[in-house]
Amino acid sequence: MVHGRSIRARMTIATVGSFGVILLAGVGMISATYPVRARSDLVDQADEASRRVTTLVDRQRIAGPIPPQDGVGLLQVVDERGIVVAASTGLAGRPPLTRSRPSGGDSRVSERLCSPAGCMMVVGTSNRATVYGPIVAYAAVREPFLLRSSFLPAILFGSSAVLLALMGWAAWYGVGRVLAPVERIRRGLERISAEDLSGRVEVPPSGDEVAELATTVNDTLTRLEDAVEHQRRFVSDASHELRTPITALIVRLEAGMEERTEADWRAALDDAQRLSDIVGDLLLMARLDAGAEPPVERFELGRLVEDEVGRRPGRLPVTLDVEPGVCVRGTRLRLARVLTNLLSNADRYGDSMVRVTVRGDGDTAVLEVTDDGPGIPEEMRERVFERFTRLDRTRSRDTGGSGLGLPIARNIARAHGGDLKVAEGTATRMILCLPRE
């Protein structure tokens, strides 16, 4: 849980920090630019109003107060003597707003005037040809409260602080909601041990990436459980397989020491050879499980079959049907081991003959080994590729194989990108498929 809180805190700090930098930069920019922009808009508004007033006095005097112009109600007309000759209702009877007048050929003057009552932007526009003679028309616009006080930065920065606090709480809460299923997955994995791999983690109903993670974890645990169980069965079966010839070897050696008959010594030698074969198969299976990749070469599959059948004596005659030019790429010794295992099974369980066929089928090289024995029941055609599996209960462990021949053969075939399977039918027909070169 400590790690979850650490990630939660880091993600919250990162979110608030990055958002806070952007927010504070924006607040600082607004604080610096808003007063200037707002006062510029007020000056433009007052300027337009003062220009309109100058046109009103071009040919006639204003009777009564000056009407508001474009929403501006503080208006005055001041002659060249500095006397107010016309004013709006809000400035009636009051002295000129300012003594500033346009000069240097400029027809406009602007000024910011402040008093205890507040500040205003004043713009004066001159007109020399009016019924009053040369005049200056003044228009004034009061500044908003926020613009003329220090509250604007305080409000902006205070609002930013509140927004960051809400952002931090939302990030903390949101990250916590996201990490809660991950934390449950972690606790579930913590309860699973090597002695009991049957436990699984909870899959949240959200259907998101966390749910996919939990499903993947459970699938991995299932594969791990199967691998551990497979390893346990393998160790148990290997121990049993090794115990049988070792026990027989000890018994025969003990009998041989007393009687010293040739039959006992020959039987002991057979047991030692079977023990050596089992150990060799176990070592090869271990290399295949480890994924060791010996050097590969391109060779003709039919030539390999002819060589192996020619050098291997057997109980039954072997008939060959080899299509020339069917080449594969792989490890010659290991593929020869596949053929040897298939021939051994066919020779052991066939009745009168063994047939080996090599042919090409598109991009696939096919090798078939068929015998006329009792065949393999349909429900057992996959089990024969499990380690230490024997089908016929009458077949003695002393005279049968190690139970590793077909599993080794299939592993080699799949390591070469192919497969080994039992074909349908009453006879036993083993089919090896490999990529064709």
Side-chain angles (χ1 to χ4, degrees), residues 353-370:
M353 57 80 65
V354 175
R355 180 181 179 86
V356 180
T357 302
V358 176
R359 58 184 173 85
D361 185 7
D363 295 334
T364 304
V366 181
L367 185 152
E368 297 182 7
V369 178
T370 307

Side-chain angles (χ1 to χ4, degrees), residues 22-80:
I22 297 174
L23 183 61
L24 292 178
V27 168
M29 184 177 296
I30 292 174
S31 300
T33 60
Y34 171 72
V36 177
R37 179 62 182 272
R39 290 190 179 103
S40 176
D41 292 341
L42 294 178
V43 169
D44 291 341
Q45 185 180 4
D47 178 63
E48 182 64 25
S50 69
R51 291 179 183 277
R52 287 180 177 271
V53 172
T54 59
T55 61
L56 293 177
V57 295
D58 276 342
R59 301 189 179 187
Q60 62 181 1
R61 294 176 181 270
I62 298 176
I66 303 174
Q69 304 294 318
D70 292 334
V72 179
L74 299 178
L75 304 168
Q76 281 183 340
V77 177
V78 181
D79 63 14
E80 61 181 349

Side-chain angles (χ1 to χ4, degrees), residues 138-364:
Y138 292 99
V141 180
R142 297 187 183 277
E143 291 183 354
F145 172 75
L146 290 178
L147 194 60
R148 65 176 184 262
S149 70
S150 59
F151 287 125
L152 178 60
I155 292 175
L156 288 175
F157 283 100
S159 301
S160 300
V162 173
L163 186 59
L164 283 177
L166 291 175
M167 176 67 70
W169 175 83
W172 179 267
Y173 178 77
V175 172
R177 288 288 300 273
V178 171
L179 291 180
V182 179
E183 175 60 22
R184 288 195 292 270
I185 293 174
R186 188 195 66 81
R187 288 199 300 266
L189 287 174
E190 203 171 45
R191 291 192 295 266
I192 298 173
S193 62
E195 288 74 21
D196 183 14
L197 293 171
S198 60
R200 296 294 181 268
V201 300
E202 176 187 352
V203 179
S206 56
D208 55 8
E209 289 81 358
V210 177
E212 293 178 1
L213 172 64
T215 302
T216 302
V217 168
N218 285 338
D219 293 341
T220 302
L221 288 173
T222 299
R223 291 193 297 270
L224 182 60
E225 183 182 17
D226 293 342
V228 171
E229 183 61 28
H230 183 74
Q231 188 69 20
R232 288 172 179 169
R233 288 199 307 268
F234 178 75
V235 172
S236 175
D237 292 341
S239 300
H240 186 75
E241 291 292 332
L242 290 172
R243 186 185 302 136
T244 300
I246 289 176
T247 301
L249 180 62
I250 291 174
V251 170
R252 289 190 174 103
L253 287 176
E254 289 175 348
M257 291 178 65
E258 296 175 358
E259 302 175 4
R260 291 188 175 88
T261 63
E262 182 178 354
D264 287 328
W265 289 113
R266 188 175 298 278
L269 182 61
D270 291 341
D271 288 333
Q273 183 60 47
R274 181 162 179 258
L275 181 61
S276 176
D277 292 342
I278 292 175
V279 172
D281 288 345
L282 290 174
L283 289 175
L284 179 56
M285 185 65 72
R287 292 191 188 99
L288 293 174
D289 289 342
E293 298 182 359
V296 297
E297 59 180 313
R298 183 179 184 274
F299 56 88
E300 189 174 336
L301 186 60
R303 187 73 59 83
L304 173 67
V305 170
E306 292 171 349
D307 293 343
E308 292 300 319
V309 171
R311 72 164 59 98
R312 182 184 180 279
R315 181 178 64 90
L316 302 177
V318 179
T319 303
L320 296 179
D321 182 7
V322 175
E323 177 184 330
V326 179
C327 296
V328 297
R329 180 175 294 276
T331 305
R332 189 182 184 93
L333 289 178
R334 288 195 174 179
L335 290 178
R337 178 62 183 271
V338 173
L339 179 60
T340 300
N341 289 351
L342 297 181
L343 290 174
S344 296
N345 279 342
D347 187 73
R348 182 180 298 119
Y349 302 126
D351 289 336
S352 60
M353 57 80 65
V354 175
R355 180 181 179 86
V356 180
T357 302
V358 176
R359 58 184 173 85
D361 185 7
D363 295 334
T364 304

